């Protein structure tokens, strides 16, 4: 390990003291992790908060084997040390990274290939808001869903961290963007971000609106985090040869649908979860993002939507905010 900077033995981290509500998130002293071969140690300046962290805190989303038990799937900070054979970064570089866990801490380790440079002009808190949603949206919307310029894209939960990223990227790559959200304010925010039409699902039927604005054709790609009774409705809202990509089941993991639509429309219904994927798969997504999306970030054509920032020690407040459901965009922890 190469480490010219002074690295303390202990750090402050926020751990899940036992499964439960936000108050089980407690600061504690931990050993600073040591980077293994190919890894870097990051002095964390900010960490993103994501819905999967809430599920982990509740005991419903255990970390994959070998990952830290601390929550936190994304960080931004300064490279503090290099593991054996790690050559991509130098100590002192500013990076943001996708972590398999362990982000709610003053130091975190990550494979060097799962880190990206902080886009120029971005603060640490903005950079910490990027990896989880940008990796997820890129992989699911563009790699799995194959969204192309000129196609119609529907994303459910448009005001979420994932949704605000999906709206901006789909719009930047030339798609017509439709989205659903649960209030007029959230719909307004989605349209400001580039959605051509935001549908308040509490007052409108998204299937009818999608049909109306596409002159009966339907959406070519649908990114869905709801599941449940949305599965059948997505099959109706999808275009011929449509691709439906499932990334969560917030509305229920079980649904009933008319599978004849799958055949008649030649639909593809796929899905994925990012966290358990291999370092190599994540490295491939990182490389695609750096080539195709990082220039858009540097030009501020795309930027994370920042909801609120809380100090690391008050991570419980960040979780409370997320569970109240009023946030628009990303919630971030300030670790500095
Ligand atoms: N598969 C993957 O690789 C992957 C990776 C990252 C995240 N995810 C998932 O993607 C989803 C969004 O993540 P995020 O971090 O962006 O979370 P988030 O900001 O909290 O967004 C959740 C959104 O879902 C909407 N929603 C619809 N039905 C809901 C329900 N029954 N309960 C709660 N919210 C509901 C909410 O919008 P309204 O108020 O408008 O309903 C809210 O904006 C989460 O389910 C997360 O687990 C999946």
């Amino acid at each position: 390990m190469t480490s010219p900077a002074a690295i303390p033995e202990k750090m402050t981290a926020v751990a899940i003291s036992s499964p439960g509500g936000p108050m089980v998130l407690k600061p504690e002293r931990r050993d600073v992790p040591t980077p293994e071969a190919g890894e870097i140690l990051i002095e964390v300046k900010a960490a993103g908060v994501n819905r999967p962290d809430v599920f982990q805190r509740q005991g419903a989303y255990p970390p994959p084997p070998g990952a830290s038990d601390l929550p936190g799937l994304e960080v931004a900070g300064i490279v503090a040390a290099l593991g054996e054979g790690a050559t991509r970064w130098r100590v002192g570089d500013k990076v943001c990274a996708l972590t398999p866990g362990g982000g709610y801490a003053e130091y975190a380790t990550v494979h060097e290939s799962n880190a990206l440079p902080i886009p120029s002009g971005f603060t640490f808190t903005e950079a910490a808001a990027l990896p989880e949603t940008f990796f997820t949206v890129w992989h699911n919307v563009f790699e799995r869903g194959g969204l192309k310029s000129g196609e119609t894209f529907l994303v459910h939960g448009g005001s979420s961290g994932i949704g605000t990223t999906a709206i901006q990227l789909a719009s930047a790559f030339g798609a017509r963007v439709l989205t659903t959200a649960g209030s007029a304010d959230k719909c307004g925010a989605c349209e400001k971000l580039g959605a051509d039409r935001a549908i308040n699902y509490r007052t409108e039927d998204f299937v009818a609106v999608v049909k109306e604005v596409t002159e009966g054709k339907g959406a070519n790609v649908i990114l869905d985090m709801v599941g449940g009774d949305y599965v059948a409705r997505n099959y109706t809202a999808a275009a011929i040869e449509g691709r439906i990509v499932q990334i969560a089941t917030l509305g229920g993991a079980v649904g009933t649908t008319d599978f004849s639509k799958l055949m008649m429309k030649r639909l593809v219904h796929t899905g994925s979860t990012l966290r358990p994927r291999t370092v190599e798969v994540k490295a491939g997504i990182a490389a695609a993002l750096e080539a195709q999306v990082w220039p858009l970030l540097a030009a501020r054509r795309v930027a994370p939507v920042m909801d609120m920032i809380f100090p690391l020690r008050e991570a419980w407040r960040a979780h409370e905010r997320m569970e109240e459901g009023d946030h628009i965009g990303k919630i971030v922890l300030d670790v500095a």
Side-chain angles (χ1 to χ4, degrees):
M1 182 170 105
T2 317
S3 57
I7 298 166
E9 278 179 18
K10 297 276 182 190
M11 65 176 183
T12 298
V14 168
I16 301 167
S17 52
S18 62
M23 294 308 291
V24 305
L25 291 173
K26 298 228 163 75
E28 57 179 56
R29 298 293 285 168
R30 289 269 183 120
D31 289 343
V32 170
T34 304
E36 308 215 337
E39 290 186 339
I40 54 175
L41 177 71
I42 299 173
E43 183 187 348
V44 178
K45 297 292 185 185
V49 175
N50 293 280
R51 181 71 54 167
D53 307 348
V54 171
F55 297 140
Q56 181 176 343
R57 192 205 71 221
Q58 292 166 339
Y61 192 51
S68 165
D69 64 314
L70 297 171
L73 300 174
E74 57 186 351
V75 298
I78 299 171
V79 177
L82 308 175
E84 198 187 325
T87 53
R88 164 134 200 223
W89 307 101
R90 290 186 195 169
V91 170
D93 282 350
K94 292 178 178 175
V95 294
C96 55
L98 189 72
T99 56
Y104 290 16
E106 289 176 323
Y107 288 87
T109 51
V110 61
H111 194 273
E112 62 170 354
S113 65
N114 292 181
L116 285 156
I118 292 187
S120 75
F122 272 54
T123 62
F124 285 119
T125 43
E126 286 177 315
L130 297 173
E132 178 70 9
T133 66
F134 278 73
F135 276 67
T136 301
V137 168
W138 185 261
H139 179 62
N140 290 288
V141 175
F142 296 95
E143 296 182 340
R144 302 194 86 76
L147 182 67
K148 295 178 206 65
S149 176
E151 289 193 320
T152 299
F153 171 61
L154 168 66
V155 54
H156 293 299
S159 63
S160 63
I162 293 281
T164 50
T165 301
I167 290 169
Q168 293 184 75
L169 285 184
S171 169
F173 283 94
R176 171 162 59 166
V177 180
L178 312 177
T179 189
T180 60
S183 72
D185 276 359
K186 288 182 172 181
C187 285
C190 293
E191 288 184 349
K192 270 201 199 118
L193 279 176
D196 296 276
R197 174 77 153 83
I199 304 158
N200 183 341
Y201 67 80
R202 296 187 198 279
T203 57
E204 294 178 288
D205 171 16
F206 79 79
V207 177
V209 177
V210 169
K211 291 283 181 177
E212 184 193 314
V213 301
T214 58
E215 289 155 356
K217 292 193 183 74
N220 304 103
V221 175
I222 301 177
L223 183 67
D224 184 29
M225 58 182 73
V226 181
D229 68 354
Y230 273 33
V231 176
R233 298 169 75 195
N234 286 339
Y235 280 27
T236 308
I240 302 285
E241 307 270 3
R243 290 85 73 196
I244 300 162
V245 191
Q246 205 70 50
I247 55 160
T249 54
L250 288 168
V254 176
T256 304
T257 192
D258 174 358
F259 286 107
S260 68
K261 289 199 174 80
L262 194 74
M263 298 181 290
M264 301 309 290
K265 291 182 167 182
R266 300 182 296 282
L267 302 177
V268 174
H269 189 174
T270 179
S272 71
T273 56
L274 181 63
R275 194 178 189 183
R277 303 301 296 277
T278 61
V279 157
E280 290 75 21
V281 167
K282 291 172 184 170
I285 301 171
L289 282 170
E290 190 167 0
Q292 305 207 50
V293 175
W294 253 232
L296 301 177
L297 289 164
R300 288 266 168 195
R301 283 189 54 207
V302 170
V305 175
M306 304 301 285
D307 180 73
M308 283 182 79
I309 299 167
F310 296 92
L312 172 66
R313 289 176 162 276
E314 294 174 22
W316 64 272
R317 288 179 61 206
H319 278 222
E320 233 176 38
R321 168 105 187 128
M322 180 161 270
E323 284 181 277
E324 281 161 9
D326 293 332
H327 65 288
I328 294 177
K330 293 284 300 188
I331 300 169
V332 173
L333 301 174
D334 186 354
V335 184

